Amino acid sequence: MQEDVLGRSRVGGSDELDEYYARLAKLGAGALWTVANDIEPWYPQPRSIPMLWKYDELRPLVLESANLVTADDAGRRVVMLVNPEREELSAAVGLLYTGLQIMNPGESMTAHRHAASALRFVIEGEGAWTIVDGDRLEVGPGDFAITPGGTWHEHGNSSGSTPVIWQDGLDIPLVNMLDANFYQVHPELHQVPGRVVNTSLLTHGSILKPDGRTWSKPYSPLLAYPWEMTYEALNNLAKVSDGSPTDGIAMEYVNPHTGGSVMPTMGARMQMLRPSEATKAHRHTGSVVYQVAKGVGHSIVNGRRFDWKKNDIFCVPSWAWYEHVNEDPAEDACLFSFNDFPVMRNLGLFVEEALSENGGHQPEI
Ligand code: 1HN
């Protein structure tokens, strides 16, 4: 892209230069000024577009997958959500992956581990379980669970009648872009779970920290976050706080040892929009995948309106302006989301701004 600005590349074209570029290319080299303006954008230029995936449209196809392929043959039976310009990376937005995984009644899968980190948000069905590094977690609709990078994990559905559908979120496009992924099948194919279900919740899920416990791993020792505790926390905060103009009553699922994000590459939040609440527009670096946990409303992302209801999924690309509206005058709406903010923050790349009177400004970097 040519720009006639001093301080930017503004070299024109000529036969002599073309011939020079060709000789450079033969040596596996190139002239920076031919690409400088593209690789140094004035502000982020995401390839991802804002998208909404309607659960009512996807659900029949997710159910269909359970008749088309066995869980063991597929490894994981998942319908993934893909942004058109991110197909090569299997990303839903930016460097975040998401998909809808279905497990039939009585089904279970073998254990594996990978360098990429995963999280789950349960959408429907009773009986879901997952064993993460030997801790058997039993999760139901609205529950959030993590499978940090490097932990053995296997899942199943102990229900006799209902399929389980949960949303997976992974940092796999990021880890693959970094050429850092590894994968292993468990040598025994299955783990032996500990004696007590949800050990991590019983140990780390209260307001008290057990004496003498240390934790040095880079992710949360708490592996499952139940919906009831989450919703109670939001309601309690709403009693004493007006929340944020851009996010409503927003809370982060945290590592109880550090107060930081649940995993080093992904953070997760639940936010409550009170009846008829409309948030102010803002934007930030970092990508977000939303899942509507409760209620009806709409969001406007870079000028596109997405009408959503419970179980719908939508995404917000980096640096897109967005705002949310709860359309119900009597009921709250809750939005679960996960993001790559920990990556942005730890690399010093997180920038955020609210829409100002003059329509925004260039943030300081
Ligand atoms: C994975 O390991 C799971 O364990 C789900 O359930 C989805 C998508 C990409 C790569 C690994 C799982 C995945 C995945």
Side-chain angles (χ1 to χ4, degrees):
M1 194 203 324
Q2 212 186 317
E3 298 170 25
D4 195 11
V5 177
L6 186 59
R8 300 290 276 178
S9 161
R10 49 180 189 174
V11 177
S14 73
D15 290 347
E16 184 189 18
L17 278 172
D18 285 346
E19 187 269 332
Y20 169 71
Y21 298 150
R23 277 187 287 131
L24 282 177
K26 275 199 189 122
L27 298 176
L32 171 63
W33 62 86
T34 61
V35 298
N37 295 349
D38 292 327
I39 65 171
E40 293 173 293
W42 296 100
Y43 50 87
Q45 304 282 338
R47 305 283 298 271
S48 308
I49 55 169
M51 286 181 74
L52 169 74
W53 292 272
K54 287 197 160 291
Y55 191 66
D56 286 350
E57 289 176 4
L58 280 166
R59 186 175 184 273
L61 279 85
V62 173
L63 292 172
E64 199 181 330
S65 75
N67 301 322
L68 292 172
V69 291
T70 65
D72 271 344
D73 283 351
R76 299 286 179 264
R77 207 193 291 99
V78 183
V79 169
M80 59 183 188
L81 311 184
V82 188
N83 214 285
E85 292 285 331
R86 305 302 265 176
E87 266 173 39
E88 211 179 315
L89 299 169
S90 299
V93 62
L95 295 172
L96 295 174
Y97 160 100
T98 200
L100 295 170
Q101 175 156 190
I102 176 166
M103 290 176 292
N104 270 339
E107 209 164 53
S108 66
M109 274 152 276
T110 52
H112 68 207
R113 67 177 179 181
H114 33 68
S117 294
L119 55 83
R120 331 276 169 196
F121 188 80
V122 183
I123 295 176
E124 62 171 281
E126 300 299 327
W129 56 266
T130 172
I131 305 174
V132 181
D133 264 356
D135 186 9
R136 183 178 161 105
L137 318 175
E138 295 187 350
V139 285
D143 291 352
F144 167 67
I146 59 169
T147 313
T151 56
W152 294 110
H153 54 284
E154 62 195 280
H155 329 298
N157 175 358
S158 62
S159 146
S161 52
T162 56
V164 162
I165 301 179
W166 71 32
Q167 181 182 6
D168 292 311
L170 282 96
D171 59 4
I172 203 159
L174 169 73
V175 176
N176 285 338
M177 283 292 270
L178 294 170
D179 290 332
N181 215 355
F182 292 88
Y183 187 96
Q184 276 178 303
V185 174
H186 195 283
E188 313 291 333
L189 292 181
H190 293 285
Q191 306 166 74
V192 180
R195 211 169 34 85
V196 182
V197 168
N198 272 337
T199 295
S200 85
L201 182 64
L202 298 172
T203 313
H204 302 284
S206 89
I207 56 172
L208 301 178
K209 180 168 169 265
D211 261 5
R213 282 278 168 158
T214 57
W215 182 257
S216 54
K217 298 192 172 151
Y219 53 81
S220 171
L222 178 57
L223 301 171
Y225 300 71
W227 162 254
E228 292 73 22
M229 290 171 77
T230 307
Y231 191 56
E232 187 186 357
L234 289 165
N235 276 299
N236 286 343
L237 185 59
K239 287 179 193 153
V240 294
S241 164
D242 291 336
S244 138
T246 55
D247 290 296
I249 301 291
M251 299 185 87
E252 183 174 7
Y253 296 92
V254 288
N255 174 338
H257 262 264
T258 62
S261 59
V262 284
M263 294 184 286
T265 51
M266 290 186 291
R269 301 202 302 176
M270 183 70 82
Q271 67 198 84
M272 176 192 274
L273 305 172
R274 286 145 298 184
S276 298
E277 180 166 1
T279 64
K280 288 204 158 49
H282 74 148
R283 65 178 174 180
H284 47 67
T285 51
S287 306
V288 188
V289 176
Y290 279 92
Q291 153 83 239
V292 182
K294 184 173 185 288
V296 301
H298 70 265
S299 298
I300 299 173
V301 188
N302 265 357
R304 293 194 55 189
R305 177 178 166 138
F306 296 118
D307 289 283
W308 43 252
K309 65 180 167 76
K310 188 168 163 24
N311 301 338
D312 288 344
I313 295 171
F314 62 96
C315 68
V316 176
S318 185
W319 210 232
W321 288 111
Y322 67 107
E323 61 198 80
H324 308 298
V325 179
N326 175 1
E327 282 169 17
D328 196 315
E331 283 289 319
D332 58 77
C334 291
L335 299 175
F336 167 80
S337 63
F338 68 94
N339 58 62
D340 56 9
F341 299 167
V343 176
M344 294 298 169
R345 290 213 163 91
N346 283 315
L347 299 182
L349 297 173
F350 190 78
V351 180
E352 182 175 28
E353 68 173 1
L355 190 61
S356 62
E357 296 300 308
N358 62 12
H361 63 278
Q362 196 76 8
E364 303 223 339
I365 51 174

